[in-house]
């Protein structure tokens, strides 16, 4: 029989023990045990039991809704469900993508875990339901007991905006806030676990404990791939732009001793970077702490020394009492001042004597950065390939460098080692091999599509595949050009359309190519093709969606509303999939 899943509400060693007893038991023995436990619990709760209530369920429901893009809120929703089951509640978990608002109105108790993306926007998949919730047609939620956990990043001006908005909206619709909202930064594990414990306690009615927990003996344990940190050797480090390009995009091949993490096409790797030692030296000098080698090493390896948020400014004002920083906050100027600036600007502009502890307290743990995996294990074995574009820009008179991308571009070398963790993304997976796929991936957005094409070649998929790629120039920025040529030759790629924005007087982008090919594109979609978009979330993803809406309107002679509806249908059918950042 199937073992008791790891998700069961028991400690790991208890699950092992139970498996040892229940595993070899006969069907008869299992049925007796289930009935016996049900009867025992019901009797001790004072109920009159005439026969074992094998199908008894926890009576008190809990609805858990998550709005997630990269999986953190989704994982926490799973933790809430686990904790709820332990408390005798019966949880139902809903991805906001699939949320029907009537389900909220029917809920008795509600937990919402919501991440914020873009510049204060909901995760792409949750936009429809989020807008409905915020819109005039949202149902009343009188008496629904709720709590909201917000995920975000203090580096963004609109910190946890979506969680905050949902929390306010639920209350405005008549919901009863039972657990106060907590806004989590990137290091959310601890505050989120604490919030879950408190919220479940607050949401559990006194009569819920001691109820029978339903055990589905037929349930297969979810085979979850390892999300441990792996150390990998860098076996290829190649700049795919020509030396005359103003960009630097590194193809990085990682080799795993033993086995690579069990990734699938569409997954990403979280890469653990180190800070630029030159930047850290400058920071230490500005803080009057040059020469503190222990602090230097800690800041390089494990602290976020670049992000400047309102929280950092408040903390600086609090710990130093700096009058000008206090004034900046008091005048309401701080939000504007931090835009485009980093921690170094704060300390260099408003210098004051700092000790190591005060400087450390201004920083948060250094977070990993996600990179789409650009390879298929079926083609590359125990390797994983990444495509990393070096982020470099200037602001407020200072040259800036993105932490992780420049760690990759400037300091990781062939033969060196990198630390990575698998970040699965089941919402950006390939369909069955007989389905057509359309992939839109300009710039580094093309990375997962190299994995898709490799996978389709290795599995000899029958479905057609069509890639839209774009970058600045054909000559200097055609990422993975040889790979695409080969794939077009061997049939792993059926079609490719390219847009090089700086090769023509009028800038041409992938959305223009989609428009040019609109009749064929709609034919593919009518035939059941899946449509994928990866890369820039700020402009590209929105422009691509708008182009597709216009394409439907034009090709099928639809009104703007009907064309929008056609794209919404693709989204609901999970045939319009995005992984944008
Ligand atoms: C699921 C996912 C997949 C991803 N896949 C890839 C991928 O395949 N390849 C890839 O290269 N990246 C990818 N990214 C992006 C990647 O994770 C990093 O965000 C990116 O490399 C920058 O990280 P960094 O540490 O170098 O920069 P950071 O140190 O994090 O600095 C970036 C910050 O600098 C600021 N900034 C950047 N440019 C400017 C500017 N011009 N003007 C003003 N401020 C600016 C912004 O505040 C920005 O948030 C992905 C992201 C996600 C979420
Ligand atoms: C491209 C991008 C944009 C983001 N924008 C915001 C933002 O505007 N405000 C915020 O608080 N957090 C922002 N975040 C941080 C996410 O909310 C945070 O990483 C969260 O843990 C993601 O949760 P999820 O995995 O459930 O999607 C952003 C993250 C990325 C990668």
């Amino acid at each position: 029989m199937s073992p008791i899943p790891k998700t069961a509400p028991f400690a790991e060693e208890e699950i092992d023990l139970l498996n040892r007893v229940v595993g070899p038991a006969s069907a008869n023995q299992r049925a007796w045990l289930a009935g016996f436990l049900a009867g025992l619990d019901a009797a001790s709760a004072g109920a009159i039991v005439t026969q074992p209530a094998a199908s008894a369920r926890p009576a008190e429901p809990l609805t858990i809704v998550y709005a997630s893009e990269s999986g953190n809120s989704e994982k926490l929703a799973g933790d809430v469900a686990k904790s709820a089951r332990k408390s005798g509640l019966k949880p139902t978990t809903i991805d906001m993508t699939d949320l029907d608002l009537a389900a909220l109105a029917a809920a008795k108790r509600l937990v919402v875990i919501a991440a914020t993306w873009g510049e204060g926007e909901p995760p792409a998949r949750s936009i429809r339901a989020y807008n409905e919730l915020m819109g005039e047609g949202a149902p009343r939620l009188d008496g629904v007991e709720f709590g909201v956990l917000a995920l975000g990043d203090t580096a963004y001006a609109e910190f946890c905006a979506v969680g905050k908005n949902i929390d306010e909206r639920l209350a405005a619709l008549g919901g009863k806030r039972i657990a106060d909202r907590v806004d989590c930064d990137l290091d959310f594990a601890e505050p989120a676990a604490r919030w879950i414990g408190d919220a479940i306690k607050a949401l559990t009615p006194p009569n819920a404990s001691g109820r029978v927990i339903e055990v589905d003996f037929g349930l297969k344990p979810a085979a979850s791939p390892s999300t441990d940190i792996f150390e990998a050797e860098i076996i290829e480090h190649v700049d795919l732009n020509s030396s005359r390009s103003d960009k630097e995009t590194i193809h990085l091949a990682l080799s795993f001793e033993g086995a690579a993490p069990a990734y699938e096409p569409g997954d990403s790797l979280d890469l653990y970077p180190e800070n630029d030692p030159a930047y850290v030296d400058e920071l230490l000098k500005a803080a009057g702490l040059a020469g503190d080698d222990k602090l230097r090493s800690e800041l390089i390896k494990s602290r976020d020394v670049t992000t400047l948020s309102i929280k950092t400014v408040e903390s600086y004002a609090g710990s130093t009492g700096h009058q000008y920083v206090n004034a900046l906050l008091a005048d309401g100027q701080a939000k504007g001042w931090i835009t485009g600036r980093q921690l170094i600007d704060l300390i260099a502009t408003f210098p004051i004597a700092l000790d190591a502890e005060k400087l450390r307290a201004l920083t948060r743990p250094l977070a990993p950065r996600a990179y789409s995996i650009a390879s298929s294990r079926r083609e590359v074995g125990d390797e994983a390939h990444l495509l990393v574009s070096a982020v470099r820009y200037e602001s407020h008179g200072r040259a800036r460098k993105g932490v992780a991308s420049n760690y990759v571009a400037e300091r990781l070398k062939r033969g060196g080692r990198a630390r990575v963790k698998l970040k699965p993304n089941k919402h950006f997976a390939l369909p069955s091999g007989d389905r057509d796929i359309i992939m839109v991936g300009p710039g580094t957005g093309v990375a997962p599509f190299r994995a898709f094409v490799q996978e389709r070649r290795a599995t000899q998929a029958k479905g057609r595949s069509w890639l839209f790629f774009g970058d600045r120039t054909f000559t200097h920025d055609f990422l993975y050009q040889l790979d695409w040529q080969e794939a077009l030759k061997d049939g792993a790629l059926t079609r490719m359309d390219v847009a090089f924005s700086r090769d023509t007087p009028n800038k041409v982008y992938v959305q223009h190519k989609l428009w040019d090919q609109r009749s064929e594109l709609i034919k593919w979609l009518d035939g059941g093709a899946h449509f994928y978009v990866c890369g820039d979330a700020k402009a590209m993803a929105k422009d691509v969606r708008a182009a597709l809406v216009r394409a439907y309107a034009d090709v099928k002679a639809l009104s703007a509303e009907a064309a929008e509806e056609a794209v919404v249908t693709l989204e609901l059918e999970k045939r319009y999939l995005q992984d944008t950042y």
Side-chain angles (χ1 to χ4, degrees), residues 386-439:
L386 303 179
L387 182 65
V388 179
S389 167
V391 172
R392 293 176 187 133
Y393 59 98
E394 200 181 297
S395 65
H396 301 287
R398 201 182 268 274
R400 319 270 174 180
K401 290 178 178 181
V403 172
S405 57
N406 286 282
Y407 170 64
V408 170
E410 296 181 356
R411 295 188 297 287
L412 281 185
K413 297 273 178 296
R414 220 174 120 219
R417 302 186 83 75
R419 292 169 70 234
V420 293
K421 188 165 90 170
L422 177 59
K423 206 166 168 55
N425 185 355
K426 61 176 190 285
H427 305 291
F428 201 71
L430 274 168
S432 59
D434 54 351
R435 286 284 179 135
D436 293 343
I437 54 172
I438 299 160
M439 302 165 282

Side-chain angles (χ1 to χ4, degrees), residues 66-76 113-121 123 125 150-162 184-186 188 370 423 537-538 580-581:
Y66 62 88
S68 188
E69 178 122 4
S70 63
N72 296 334
S73 309
E74 184 171 2
K75 150 99 186 34
L76 291 173
I113 306 186
T116 299
W117 278 75
E119 302 290 332
E121 291 155 31
R125 289 186 288 122
L151 292 202
D153 178 345
T154 47
Y156 288 88
E158 299 299 329
F159 175 53
C160 286
V162 168
C184 298
D185 203 352
L186 290 183
F188 58 81
K423 206 166 168 55
K538 274 193 199 97
T580 55
Y581 44 86

Side-chain angles (χ1 to χ4, degrees), residues 67 73 96 112-117 120-123 130 133-134 146-173 177 179-185 195 309-311 314 335:
S73 309
M96 197 155 177
V112 179
I113 306 186
T116 299
W117 278 75
E121 291 155 31
Y130 178 80
L133 180 65
M134 296 297 151
F146 76 90
V148 175
L149 180 66
L151 292 202
D153 178 345
T154 47
Y156 288 88
E158 299 299 329
F159 175 53
C160 286
V162 168
K164 288 175 185 168
N165 293 344
I166 292 177
D167 189 44
E168 271 175 31
R169 184 67 177 151
L170 296 179
L173 291 170
R177 188 182 292 106
D180 283 339
R181 192 190 71 244
V182 164
D183 299 331
C184 298
D185 203 352
W195 185 89
S309 63
I310 288 289
K311 206 170 140 203
E314 285 168 350
K335 201 169 173 182

Side-chain angles (χ1 to χ4, degrees), residues 486-508:
E486 212 171 284
L488 284 166
K489 224 184 276 166
D490 67 25
L493 192 57
T494 317
R495 287 190 64 155
M496 181 167 187
D497 283 84
V498 290
F500 290 100
S501 60
R502 300 200 179 174
D503 281 349
T504 47
N506 297 332
K507 290 202 166 173
V508 178

